Amino acid sequence: MITIFSGGTGTPKLLQGIMKLIEPNKLRVVVNTLENNYFSGVYVAPDIDTVMYTLSGMINDDTWYGIKDDTFITHETLKEIKCPETLKIGDRDRAIKIQKTLLMEQYPLSRVVDIQRKALGIESEIIPMSNDKSNIIIETNEGKMEFHKFLVERQGMPEVLDIKYNPVSPSPGLIEFIEESEMVIIGPSNPITSIGPIITLEGVSKALKNAYVVGISPIIGDAPVSGPAAKFMNALGHDVSCLGVAKMYANFLNKFIIDLKDNAYKNKIERLIPEVVVTNTNMKNIGEKKMLARTTLGDIL
């Protein structure tokens, strides 16, 4: 069994490659919930939905948000009647969010996600990192902001001074999933707001130390693959480089994969992590996604 920690952009690209190489019932995906919240009357779990849509083949992989070829009739109508919404939600995407909202009146998030992934024909397990309400406060030069205000309303423009999120409990069975895994993969997602919230859950770091863990750097050169990772890393005093990420994960990594552009960091990282692999991590097409997935899985295949 393979377990992979995921956010909503970089790691789903890797998932597309992994799906070509292993049986879907051998894969478990633990997904960040830090950005979950209610918008336009529906419960929005952006990273969970992106992972679900990726595993079901529905993902809009031009934007890595929402469903491919979706329509936006409801969104446009709301705008016409002077009720604009913060998030642009597609019609099919909204239907899945409505179901999630209704189910959450009866069940915890982990059960809701399980119901939905089965309804979409997904054989791989998807586990939200927690059933508790997660929250992030970003301290900026414009004051404190929640994640969606910072990212959507302000387009990630304010200067970030600090980041704080409330502690939550891991979903039932999450620690056991790690312990049972042949390999745990730390995907190339934002190390502060996607992966950080998962690895700081109670018991997770300890379980990772006893597992075989492979990480992929989400930083190529001095730029994150996606999202405002650079601002967040700087705010918390981390170097915006694969070396900075390596230092964050060094406690539990057995193997770390960095991009060809970062070969100069290899020797320094080898002092922290037993095995360092240098390869193309950009994943611009399915061939590159499969290649990185094969490098990640290694002897498992």
Side-chain angles (χ1 to χ4, degrees):
M1 191 66 71
I2 308 296
T3 296
I4 182 165
F5 290 3
S6 181
T9 46
T11 304
K13 293 178 184 178
L14 180 64
L15 281 172
Q16 288 182 325
I18 290 175
M19 288 161 58
K20 301 288 186 182
L21 302 177
I22 67 171
E23 296 296 320
N25 60 3
K26 297 186 184 300
L27 179 65
R28 289 169 169 160
V29 189
V30 178
V31 190
N32 167 50
T33 62
L34 196 68
E35 301 165 32
N36 295 12
N37 214 329
Y38 286 88
F39 293 91
S40 303
V42 294
Y43 187 76
V44 176
D47 291 358
I48 289 170
D49 286 348
T50 295
V51 167
M52 281 204 307
Y53 300 158
T54 299
L55 294 175
S56 64
M58 300 163 60
I59 188 68
N60 179 354
D61 52 13
D62 291 328
T63 60
W64 291 100
Y65 178 81
I67 295 172
K68 188 174 184 178
D69 298 324
D70 208 346
T71 56
F72 293 87
I73 297 169
T74 304
H75 175 79
E76 294 301 329
T77 303
L78 285 168
K79 194 157 57 172
E80 287 169 13
I81 61 174
K82 311 301 181 191
C83 184
E85 51 187 2
T86 303
L87 295 179
K88 185 177 180 181
I89 304 173
D91 297 315
R92 295 180 66 204
D93 185 20
R94 193 183 303 269
I96 290 169
K97 287 171 168 49
I98 289 172
Q99 184 197 38
K100 190 182 280 91
T101 306
L102 295 173
L103 287 171
M104 286 189 66
E105 295 176 2
Q106 307 173 59
Y107 305 111
L109 181 60
S110 55
R111 175 69 178 130
V112 171
V113 172
D114 202 50
I115 291 169
Q116 289 200 305
R117 65 101 181 166
K118 288 175 180 175
L120 293 173
I122 299 168
E123 295 180 55
S124 304
E125 290 187 71
I126 303 171
I127 309 119
M129 72 176 200
S130 179
N131 286 327
D132 301 336
K133 177 174 171 51
S134 306
N135 192 29
I136 179 172
I137 296 296
I138 303 170
E139 295 187 11
T140 77
N141 61 327
E142 298 178 13
K144 295 181 179 180
M145 298 182 184
E146 291 193 344
F147 187 82
H148 284 278
K149 181 175 181 179
F150 174 82
L151 191 65
V152 180
E153 290 183 27
R154 296 292 293 112
Q155 296 292 300
M157 295 302 293
E159 179 187 351
V160 179
L161 306 176
D162 197 7
I163 295 167
K164 295 176 181 176
Y165 42 79
N166 65 307
V168 294
S169 300
S171 287
L174 192 156
I175 302 299
E176 289 75 14
F177 292 159
I178 295 171
E179 293 172 343
E180 295 166 4
S181 294
E182 195 174 351
M183 173 185 289
V184 178
I185 300 168
I186 309 297
S189 294
N190 189 318
I192 305 297
T193 57
S194 293
I195 302 300
I198 303 174
I199 63 178
T200 54
L201 292 169
E202 185 177 359
V204 168
S205 184
K206 181 180 178 182
L208 289 174
K209 288 178 184 178
N210 296 316
Y212 181 78
V213 186
V214 179
I216 301 99
S217 176
I219 309 291
I220 297 176
D222 59 357
V225 174
S226 61
K231 280 192 172 185
F232 294 158
M233 290 179 72
N234 274 326
L236 295 180
H238 301 292
D239 293 335
V240 183
S241 67
C242 62
L243 178 59
V245 178
K247 289 177 178 178
M248 294 172 66
Y249 299 162
N251 247 358
F252 48 75
L253 279 189
N254 299 94
K255 181 168 87 172
F256 193 47
I257 300 172
I258 64 176
D259 192 75
L260 295 166
K261 291 182 180 179
D262 294 314
N263 187 55
Y265 287 106
K266 185 174 188 287
N267 290 340
K268 288 183 179 179
I269 297 174
E270 284 175 333
R271 298 170 195 164
L272 303 169
I273 297 163
E275 183 181 358
V276 181
V277 177
V278 182
T279 188
N280 175 21
T281 64
N282 218 0
M283 296 187 287
K284 289 183 177 178
N285 54 57
I286 190 60
E288 292 183 355
K289 292 169 187 175
K290 282 177 65 178
M291 181 279 297
L292 184 57
R294 193 177 298 279
T295 301
T296 303
L297 294 169
D299 295 338
I300 295 271
L301 296 175

